[in-house]
Amino acid sequence: MKDSTVNKVLDYPRNAWYVAAWDHEVNRNILSRTVAGRPLAIYRTEDGQPVALADACWHRLAPLSMGKLVGRDGIQCPYHGIRYNSAGRCISMPAQETINPSATVPSFPVVERFRFVWVWVGDPTLAEPSLVPDMSQMDAAGWTGDGLTIEVACNYQLVLDNLMDLTHEEFLHGSSIGQEELSESDFVTSHTDTTVTVERWMLDIAPPPFWLKNMRDRFPGFEGNVDRWQIIHFEAPSTICIDVGVAKAGTGAPQGDRSQGVNGYVMNTITPERDRSCHYFWSFQRNYRLESQLITTQLRDGVSRVFKEDEDMLIAQQAAIDANPDYEFYSLNIDSGGMWVRRLIERRLEAEGLLPAAPVAAIAS
Amino acid sequence: MAASNSEVWQRGRIVESRALTPRIRRIVIEPSLPVKVVPGAHVDVRIRVAGEDDRRSYSIVDATADGRRIALSVLDSPRSRGGAAVMHGLREGDEIELTQPLVDFPLRIGARRYVLLAGGIGITAVSAMAVTLAAVRSDYTLVYVGRSRSEMAYVGELQALHGDRLVLHVGDEGTPLDVRALVGAIEDDTELYLCGPIRLMDAVRRAWVDAGLDAPNLRFETFGNSGWFDPQEFVVRVPALGLEATVGPNTSMLEALEAAGADMMYDCRKGECGLCEVLVLDLDGAIDHRDVFYSEREKNATGKMCCCVSRVVTQGATPVVTIQTT
């Protein structure tokens, strides 16, 4: 009998910064979005500060996101007109001259960074802005790019599994970035308390179509083999930035000289919505041809087509998991990155009391 | 702070009961269904007073990080409605029924500055807030007001925890609180959290309005158990129901009406929501408004009262109020 160590539907830590929205999605209209199981009403004050309130009025729990913004920083419930400020404190009630002292809705800590609005739905006393995962390529000088959001009907962990092992590119993305050298090449996995890294180099290979096009954007008319890299950086609980690129074969990229290549960063941060759904925010950033909006759009659309193949697979995988509740997961050697991710997340869940501590090994009787 | 207010009842075992002052006891409880406690939380405790099941609310003064031990502190005063005597009678090993922590007075993290103001036993509602604000390195002042140091619980502990951020005002030491001066020095984006007797609450509310400060930044909790006057016995008449009841000094008008058979509407039972409002048809005495539902203007009009907390008083004979219920 198998003693399974792999959670098929993983819970999510609450004490974490999750992306609630792109910066441009947060404005003077109210956005309704669920983050880590908590429905939120998200908007921006007239002063430009992002706000995330619980999307349920104190009075009868009507969704505030159906209401309207009032004054400099307030919101009005659509049902009985109760108004709150951005701190979640009631500022007026209908048909009475006073305000009930207990009338508040939770206002969750929010940070705007790396083109995203991040929210912390757990213990607010732990919400240190310095804990926002590093996605600096999103808006650092010398980088440009753009991305989209995918609403995926699967447990967020399946997306993390997907991104931590890129061997699947060979099979799922054969027409764009896949090639057989992916599963033939070695990779190196390492980890810390909060990060996991998987590094893979493929030397002197023919570039797949996506990378040949990128090389020609930078080196018009380029022909020949390349050295290709994928360095996957995971930061707990659910951000993965992948350093990807190719350089002319033998020009020293593995030793650190990438001047004869093209470099991108696939920025991914996965926000659990509920147990079987997530908001997958991604962007493809690059550090060459910064002036070309054409390339930005081409890359965004190209990656978007690739990710549609992932999305279809993830939805089908979740459906198969749910249709086979009595079957367990088994693991392959290529899962080492994904398995470290699971372990780091499970440790956080244990610390939050959301996962029973791993049982001690059963004693044979 | 996500405040969950689902009422979950559980058992609790008393593991400590000791006197902090001649009238205040610290009672430490091990609940059977422990949960993490957030600042501003209270528990409701089931008690029996005069043969009747009843409940009282007590702030959680402090708790272990896992919530397996929570501490209450209970003042026994002549105005107590019987709960304090029951609570003071508890001893190590006794069991009680209580709710999991409830939060009607959540501390919001993230204000630029805080003033926590406690009058007397009101320290129980704000001391955990002060600990949290210290832990997240917020800018806060804890102002603690009392009549005499011998009646003020936790002064030594608070001094050790908060140093210069603790400001004491002690009546018999000649350092009473000047409410106007305190409120006058408060800046726009300061949140004030207040728990204390109604005289202090009313004075702060009035000063807050006069100073033109933002009403939502004044936050307070009242369990509806203090008034401008000592409670005295009074008579309530409800002609439409052909009913008359005597309200003893240790029961509420709402309880007396329910005991007399009136089908009363209510919700919070602590003077906040206004659902228990009755119309005053005739009054022989004065209303001691103990609620926070009516504005100053409405209280002066004397046409209505919140019967869950408010009372009627006179100088001489038994006061009488004639009312109409909903």
Side-chain angles (χ1 to χ4, degrees):
Chain A
M1 187 181 133
K2 181 172 183 241
D3 197 20
S4 174
T5 55
V6 187
N7 262 297
K8 289 189 292 182
V9 178
L10 200 64
D11 201 350
Y12 31 81
R14 309 304 197 268
N15 290 330
W17 291 109
Y18 291 112
V19 168
W22 286 87
D23 51 7
H24 62 82
E25 292 182 284
V26 179
N27 50 47
R28 295 292 290 163
N29 297 310
I30 310 166
L31 175 68
S32 163
R33 188 160 284 164
T34 295
V35 170
R38 181 61 62 188
L40 303 174
I42 302 166
Y43 63 95
R44 211 179 270 281
T45 68
E46 281 186 355
D47 303 332
Q49 295 302 311
V51 178
L53 301 180
D55 194 11
C57 181
W58 166 87
H59 171 224
R60 287 293 192 260
L61 306 183
L64 296 178
S65 57
M66 289 172 67
K68 64 177 183 183
L69 299 183
V70 290
R72 188 182 61 76
D73 76 334
I75 188 169
Q76 176 174 308
C77 175
Y79 201 175
H80 301 97
I82 295 175
R83 294 180 173 197
Y84 302 89
N85 65 16
S86 58
R89 176 72 171 111
C90 178
I91 52 177
S92 79
M93 316 197 101
Q96 68 183 66
E97 295 181 12
T98 56
I99 299 169
N100 189 306
S102 76
T104 58
V105 293
S107 176
F108 297 95
V110 166
V111 167
E112 185 166 3
R113 194 171 292 172
F114 307 136
R115 293 200 56 202
F116 295 120
V117 171
W118 304 75
V119 66
W120 183 288
V121 301
D123 179 350
T125 64
L126 304 175
E128 266 296 322
S130 63
L131 298 176
V132 170
D134 179 14
M135 298 188 80
S136 50
Q137 291 82 3
M138 289 298 293
D139 57 4
W143 291 86
T144 192
D146 204 4
L148 293 166
T149 312
I150 313 171
E151 302 294 334
V152 195
C154 74
N155 182 251
Y156 77 112
Q157 180 64 43
L158 299 184
V159 184
L160 300 178
D161 278 345
N162 169 283
L163 292 165
M164 291 308 292
D165 167 40
L166 300 180
T167 313
H168 77 271
E169 289 182 1
E170 178 179 336
F171 307 98
L172 196 56
H173 310 308
S175 66
S176 52
I177 53 177
Q179 58 189 151
E180 56 194 31
E181 289 87 350
L182 276 160
S183 60
E184 289 167 2
S185 57
D186 281 339
F187 59 90
V188 178
T189 305
S190 58
H191 77 279
T192 69
D193 286 345
T194 56
T195 65
V196 180
T197 303
V198 180
E199 180 163 359
R200 167 183 268 152
W201 283 86
M202 290 150 278
L203 302 180
D204 198 18
I205 59 167
F210 176 82
W211 285 111
L212 182 61
K213 187 264 180 209
N214 294 339
M215 277 299 276
R216 287 177 175 167
D217 280 342
R218 181 160 183 215
F219 306 102
F222 170 77
E223 298 279 357
N225 278 0
V226 294
D227 294 336
R228 180 180 179 185
W229 67 89
Q230 294 173 327
I231 305 168
I232 307 168
H233 297 283
F234 164 83
E235 185 171 347
S238 57
T239 296
I240 296 177
C241 301
I242 312 177
D243 176 2
V244 292
V246 298
K248 295 173 187 170
T251 57
Q255 291 75 37
D257 178 4
R258 295 178 175 181
S259 63
Q260 298 305 303
V262 286
N263 187 191
Y265 256 83
V266 195
M267 315 299 290
N268 311 275
T269 187
I270 322 302
T271 299
E273 181 188 43
R274 296 194 177 80
D275 64 346
R276 284 170 171 79
S277 57
C278 57
H279 312 290
Y280 177 179
F281 299 90
W282 66 267
S283 182
F284 191 93
Q285 301 295 113
R286 71 177 191 283
N287 63 0
Y288 61 92
R289 296 289 309 275
L290 301 183
E291 85 297 345
S292 174
Q293 183 62 42
L294 171 64
I295 294 176
T296 297
T297 303
Q298 285 172 333
L299 283 171
R300 188 192 65 195
D301 292 355
V303 173
S304 184
R305 279 190 295 274
V306 171
F307 282 1
K308 182 70 172 70
E309 296 169 336
D310 289 301
E311 181 189 351
D312 291 346
M313 175 53 65
L314 291 165
I315 291 169
Q317 183 188 9
Q318 183 68 61
I321 289 168
D322 291 336
N324 295 283
D326 52 339
Y327 290 175
E328 300 298 334
F329 279 0
Y330 284 82
S331 299
L332 297 170
N333 169 265
I334 56 171
D335 295 315
S336 77
M339 289 298 279
W340 274 110
V341 165
R342 286 172 176 274
R343 186 169 298 175
L344 298 192
I345 291 174
E346 285 171 358
R347 282 184 185 152
R348 286 178 160 226
L349 293 172
E350 275 176 37
E352 291 188 25
L354 296 172
L355 191 74
V360 267
I363 299 163
S365 52
Chain B
M1 172 119 0
S4 171
N5 261 0
S6 319
E7 216 174 79
V8 179
W9 286 89
Q10 59 179 342
R11 304 285 302 169
R13 197 170 58 84
I14 312 302
V15 293
E16 181 189 330
S17 169
R18 69 181 161 92
L20 298 174
T21 76
R23 298 195 301 155
I24 300 175
R25 287 191 81 82
R26 174 179 168 89
I27 299 162
V28 181
I29 303 166
E30 280 184 356
S32 57
L33 304 172
V35 293
K36 188 172 152 55
V37 179
V38 301
H42 70 271
V43 291
D44 280 9
V45 178
R46 189 121 53 203
I47 56 169
R48 274 186 88 74
V49 178
E52 300 280 329
D53 269 335
D54 208 342
R55 63 198 282 179
R56 295 286 186 272
S57 300
Y58 298 105
S59 298
I60 297 175
V61 184
D62 53 76
T64 54
D66 55 10
R68 287 179 189 281
R69 283 192 171 204
I70 60 173
L72 317 178
S73 298
V74 180
L75 169 72
D76 194 8
S77 82
R79 290 176 291 280
S80 165
R81 292 183 297 128
V86 173
M87 296 300 286
H88 276 214
L90 294 171
R91 287 296 173 268
E92 204 174 307
D94 288 351
E95 291 223 338
I96 54 170
E97 273 181 89
L98 74 165
T99 61
Q100 285 187 333
L102 303 167
V103 190
D104 287 331
F105 189 39
L107 172 68
R108 183 186 71 107
I109 304 296
R112 205 181 60 79
R113 218 185 110 64
Y114 297 86
V115 174
L116 308 176
L117 174 54
I121 195 65
I123 192 67
T124 57
V126 301
S127 70
M129 293 184 175
V131 169
T132 297
L133 292 177
V136 299
R137 298 183 300 280
S138 288
D139 185 2
Y140 71 98
T141 305
L142 172 58
V143 181
Y144 185 10
V145 190
R147 256 182 243 121
S148 114
R149 203 173 280 249
S150 65
E151 294 185 15
M152 294 168 72
Y154 298 113
V155 170
E157 291 92 329
L158 294 169
Q159 278 170 332
L161 282 168
H162 305 295
D164 292 347
R165 292 191 178 274
L166 174 68
V167 178
L168 293 175
H169 291 283
V170 186
D172 69 4
E173 293 178 11
T175 57
L177 173 68
D178 180 341
V179 169
R180 298 244 153 221
L182 174 78
V183 173
I186 284 176
E187 293 159 32
D188 262 347
D189 43 7
T190 299
E191 289 182 9
L192 189 148
Y193 290 74
L194 164 63
C195 188
I198 196 146
R199 283 167 192 263
L200 177 64
M201 308 238 297
D202 281 352
V204 172
R205 276 202 304 257
R206 217 167 286 146
W208 197 267
V209 171
D210 292 349
L213 290 164
D214 220 3
N217 285 345
L218 174 59
R219 307 198 178 192
F220 52 90
E221 177 156 66
T222 164
F223 295 127
N225 49 12
S226 81
W228 280 83
F229 305 96
D230 283 344
Q232 62 186 103
E233 188 172 287
F234 65 98
V235 171
V236 55
R237 293 187 180 131
V238 193
L241 302 177
L243 192 151
E244 176 174 313
T246 298
V247 184
N250 297 322
T251 54
S252 73
M253 183 165 143
L254 174 58
E255 289 164 348
L257 288 165
E258 287 172 328
D263 193 4
M264 298 297 294
M265 180 51 65
Y266 60 86
D267 186 20
C268 75
R269 296 184 86 107
K270 55 185 177 180
E272 294 183 354
C273 73
L275 263 182
C276 69
E277 172 178 276
V278 295
L279 297 182
V280 176
L281 304 176
D282 191 38
L283 181 63
D284 184 2
I287 300 175
D288 183 11
H289 285 290
R290 296 170 167 227
D291 63 274
V292 293
F293 172 71
Y294 295 123
S295 66
E296 199 97 342
R297 184 192 69 77
E298 291 167 315
K299 285 177 181 173
N300 290 335
T302 73
K304 304 168 183 178
M305 62 191 288
C306 288
C307 70
C308 68
V309 291
S310 296
R311 309 186 62 87
V312 182
V313 291
T314 53
Q315 293 289 343
T318 304
V320 180
V321 63
T322 305
I323 62 161
Q324 181 181 323
T325 60
T326 62

